[in-house]
Amino acid sequence: MREIRADRTYSDDAEVTDYLNTLGYRLVAASADSRQEFTFFLILDPQVNAFALPGGFVGVNSGLILTAQSESELAGVLSHEVAHVTQRHMARMLAQQKQAQVISLAALAVAILAARSNSQISQAAIAGSQASFIQSSLNYTRDHEREADRVGFQVLERAGFDVQAMAAFFERMQRSTRYYETNAPAYLRTHPVTYERIADMQNRAQNLPYRQVADSLDFQLMRAKIKATQDSPQEALAFFEESLGERKYVSEAATRYGLVSALLRVKSYARAGKELQTLRTAVPGNAAVDALTARYYRATGDTAAALQTYRDGLKNHPGYRALVYDYAELLLATRQAGEALKLVESRLQYSASDYRLYELQAKAYAALDKRLPQHRALAEAYYRVGNVKGAIEQLLLAQKSGDGDFYQQSSVDARLRELRTLEKETQRETKK
Ligand SMILES: [Zn+2]
């Protein structure tokens, strides 16, 4: 994950990420091996692609989310990737290779990233590593593809999605690539879709009763969010204005949400406010709309209304990360570090592995001039993104800070011992 986070295309957008994990975990829960942990994450890349890394990390390109014409289509591609993981295809492939013992997970992650197109870090990272060897042997076999299709199909069905969507999606991709042979979408290059695969999917779907599945509002909202942020402000505005004006949409609310996002980008606040009112009446109590509303108030300088919107939104959706982060940031910006700290620490009780909460906690302590807990919090943030060395440095700074009581100081000492042991073990592993 450290390699991925360093990539220019990685996005930590809390709303889209949470949506992808909700959708992904709905599929995982429907799979036979639901004990495996998964992390779904967004890659800002217009190419239609999704890919699985060892350890259950599944990357989803923004291009895939925008190209999917229904939530079932997106779920179809994800269930195929989930199946690669639960069927241990990568592990089986590595086991067949003699070099398997010396391949580190990091090298493997680099190789897979390099296999995607447009990857910045990977081409450089790959040169000096064993990754170039791995990359050459990373393509799934036809048997793996067939199995991922079969298992993915079952997962899709059990999770309650439209099973026709998988074949429909692949067929559309196939058709679109006929015209650009040399520039096939990345997904097709790593997952060659053959007529045989499409026919298999259609046959499986034929034996099941037709079921109409409505897309979730969140699916439509997150598509609109990606569209509104990835295009230029003027293009985004033109797109949503036209869609709304000519009623060319699946979801009017999502289209209006996209329009408001675009209006905020071109600083057309008066109109944004009007459209927002219509949107809030149409879908009251939606967390993503609350977050957008607060953003509008912040942009227009109405801090009091923004703070109130966060408080109201969090009452209904206490775990909605975008609201938590944005509210904490605004509290910090308005010199209410004590309140920010209370909010962050209450959330840490539920999500103790969230590095962004620790970052906010560190900022709040810094504002309150409490240096030991500030460095301690930053250490926890670094530790959670896999940066043990950085975490140890922060703990050393905490020791030297000269504040904190005896209890806090001993707790820093104990944590430092723990991480140093961990660091030694890691070094020994690497040397092996
Ligand atoms: Zn595949």
Side-chain angles (χ1 to χ4, degrees):
M1 250 345 250
R2 269 179 80 184
E3 296 283 353
I4 297 164
R5 284 201 189 98
D7 198 275
R8 182 179 59 80
T9 61
Y10 171 78
S11 162
D12 63 356
D13 183 285
E15 296 190 289
V16 181
T17 305
D18 284 357
Y19 165 72
L20 287 176
N21 279 281
T22 305
L23 175 65
Y25 263 93
R26 187 170 153 193
L27 300 168
V28 172
S31 78
D33 181 10
S34 53
R35 287 160 306 162
Q36 161 87 44
E37 242 185 86
F38 278 85
T39 306
F40 298 86
F41 56 91
L42 173 67
I43 295 286
L44 293 175
D45 185 331
Q47 301 243 22
V48 179
N49 205 0
F51 56 96
L53 302 174
F57 294 96
V58 179
V60 185
N61 278 13
S62 51
L64 169 64
I65 303 174
L66 290 181
T67 307
Q69 288 185 355
S70 71
E71 193 167 31
S72 289
E73 290 191 356
L74 175 59
V77 177
L78 291 193
S79 63
H80 175 99
E81 296 302 323
V82 165
H84 274 312
V85 177
T86 57
Q87 301 306 112
R88 319 229 172 275
H89 288 160
M90 195 105 45
R92 279 198 250 157
M93 232 154 44
L94 292 173
Q96 285 165 0
Q97 292 161 0
K98 283 187 186 153
Q99 287 85 344
Q101 313 94 291
V102 295
I103 294 172
S104 70
L105 279 181
L108 196 55
V110 169
I112 295 166
L113 282 174
R116 307 187 295 122
S117 59
N118 292 343
S119 182
Q120 291 286 299
I121 53 154
S122 315
Q123 294 309 329
I126 206 161
S129 72
Q130 345 148 325
S132 58
F133 159 74
I134 309 167
Q135 192 192 0
S136 62
S137 48
L138 253 185
N139 290 330
Y140 292 121
T141 63
R142 287 171 71 94
D143 284 345
H144 286 163
E145 288 307 322
R146 219 172 286 143
E147 191 174 49
D149 279 348
R150 184 177 54 77
V151 173
F153 185 90
Q154 290 169 352
V155 166
L156 194 64
E157 208 250 323
R158 262 186 246 141
F161 287 101
D162 169 18
V163 290
Q164 315 268 356
M166 219 167 167
F169 182 75
F170 284 123
E171 209 174 14
R172 219 172 47 245
M173 296 239 304
Q174 177 94 318
R175 238 182 293 133
S176 71
T177 48
R178 215 182 295 151
Y179 306 103
Y180 335 77
E181 283 300 339
T182 50
N183 199 12
Y187 189 80
L188 289 190
R189 269 184 269 124
T190 49
H191 294 76
V193 176
T194 58
Y195 287 106
E196 184 197 325
R197 274 185 74 194
I198 295 174
D200 279 349
M201 288 176 210
Q202 283 168 339
N203 282 339
R204 282 190 207 104
Q206 241 168 29
N207 300 325
L208 292 164
Y210 175 70
R211 124 170 105 192
Q212 189 161 18
V213 182
D215 296 337
S216 70
L217 177 59
D218 282 340
F219 169 69
Q220 297 295 352
L221 288 175
M222 292 307 109
R223 273 166 59 91
K225 180 171 190 181
I226 292 169
K227 181 89 186 145
T229 28
Q230 93 169 13
D231 291 356
S232 79
Q234 293 302 336
E235 276 171 341
L237 183 61
F239 173 83
F240 287 109
E241 266 182 331
E242 192 191 319
S243 308
L244 208 58
E246 296 174 19
R247 304 187 146 268
K248 285 194 301 193
Y249 48 69
V250 180
S251 159
E252 182 176 344
T255 310
R256 186 158 277 118
Y257 172 97
L259 178 64
V260 174
S261 310
L263 286 168
L264 290 185
R265 285 183 73 197
V266 298
K267 301 192 165 58
S268 186
Y269 298 133
R271 229 188 116 199
K274 252 206 282 180
E275 296 290 352
L276 201 50
Q277 221 161 22
T278 313
L279 177 61
R280 290 181 68 79
T281 314
V283 282
N286 179 283
V289 174
D290 286 343
L292 181 66
T293 307
R295 252 172 45 217
Y296 159 77
Y297 284 130
R298 290 174 77 164
T300 57
D302 193 345
T303 308
L307 290 168
Q308 190 58 46
T309 305
Y310 287 129
R311 276 192 293 270
D312 293 344
L314 283 168
K315 243 179 252 161
N316 295 327
H317 312 277
Y320 199 75
R321 290 194 301 137
L323 290 173
V324 175
Y325 299 157
D326 294 354
Y327 185 33
E329 291 283 2
L330 187 57
L331 286 171
L332 287 169
T334 52
R335 300 173 179 275
Q336 304 180 68
E339 280 299 308
L341 194 60
K342 246 197 278 172
L343 168 71
V344 166
E345 290 183 343
S346 74
R347 287 316 308 165
L348 274 171
Q349 293 178 1
Y350 301 96
S351 20
S353 60
D354 184 347
Y355 76 97
R356 286 171 77 176
L357 288 177
Y358 288 104
E359 281 176 356
L360 288 164
Q361 191 188 29
K363 277 192 199 171
Y365 277 127
L368 296 167
D369 204 25
K370 294 190 171 172
R371 289 167 50 225
L372 180 145
Q374 175 202 340
H375 291 299
R376 170 78 207 253
L378 214 47
E380 296 305 324
Y382 284 153
Y383 171 69
R384 287 188 174 62
V385 296
N387 182 359
V388 177
K389 218 172 161 190
I392 288 173
E393 277 164 21
Q394 288 302 319
L395 290 171
L396 290 171
L397 287 173
Q399 275 184 335
K400 283 191 209 133
S401 68
D403 73 9
D405 55 26
F406 173 74
Y407 170 76
Q408 287 175 312
Q409 286 163 4
S410 340
S411 144
V412 166
D413 296 344
R415 188 66 170 140
L416 189 57
R417 278 195 298 274
E418 244 170 58
L419 293 194
R420 277 192 163 139
T421 311
L422 184 72
E423 196 192 26
K424 269 186 209 136
E425 278 168 11
T426 320
Q427 279 169 350
R428 223 176 294 140
E429 288 287 315
T430 326
K431 273 183 198 144
K432 259 187 216 168

